[in-house]
């Protein structure tokens, strides 16, 4: 919960306090250890979660346009917008 919410120190303190008050929750000593660990390793943990959730491919370029039909057999098809999207994907880090 702490890592997925990327809690700041105030949120962490409130969360751990609530956990110590829950029946069957953690002790004050355990809360202190968790808080110290989170303070020292928050950036590393956050970066690790981001890297794990990233796809192998990344978006390198994107082009788009909207076309309108100006001629058609049927009058109801004129001025019908059509979006065309072109996306170029590449490997992460290349």
């Amino acid at each position: 919960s702490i890592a997925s919410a990327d809690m700041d120190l105030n949120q962490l303190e409130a969360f751990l306090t609530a956990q110590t008050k829950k029946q069957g929750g953690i002790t004050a000593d355990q809360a202190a250890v968790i808080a110290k660990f989170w303070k020292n390793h928050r950036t590393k943990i956050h970066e690790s979660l981001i890297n794990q959730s990233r796809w192998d491919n990344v978006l390198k370029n994107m082009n788009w346009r909207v076309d309108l039909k100006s001629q058609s057999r049927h009058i109801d098809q004129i001025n019908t917008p059509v979006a065309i999207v072109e996306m170029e994907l590449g490997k992460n880090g290349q």
Side-chain angles (χ1 to χ4, degrees):
S1 295
I2 297 167
S4 63
D6 194 28
M7 293 184 184
D8 63 23
L9 296 179
N10 292 330
Q11 293 170 323
L12 176 67
E13 185 178 333
F15 177 76
L16 291 176
T17 300
Q19 295 301 311
T20 58
K21 293 180 179 180
K22 271 171 101 173
Q23 185 169 348
I26 61 176
T27 66
D29 290 337
Q30 290 170 327
V33 170
I34 292 169
K36 184 177 180 180
F37 182 84
W38 181 246
K39 288 174 190 176
N40 291 333
H41 299 287
R42 177 182 179 191
T43 305
K44 290 178 188 176
I45 294 168
H46 184 70
E47 287 174 6
S48 176
L49 288 175
I50 289 173
N51 288 333
Q52 290 174 23
S53 65
R54 215 181 270 164
W55 291 354
D56 286 338
N57 292 326
V58 294
L59 182 64
K60 295 287 187 181
N61 191 17
M62 185 174 113
N63 296 311
W64 65 275
R65 71 175 195 252
V66 176
D67 291 345
L68 294 174
K69 268 191 175 176
S70 61
Q71 292 182 348
S72 179
R73 273 189 182 173
H74 306 287
I75 193 83
D76 60 339
Q77 292 179 347
I78 295 177
N79 292 330
T80 302
V82 176
I84 298 172
V85 179
E86 178 185 6
M87 293 185 283
E88 179 185 352
L89 300 176
K91 289 289 183 192
N92 192 12
Q94 295 178 353

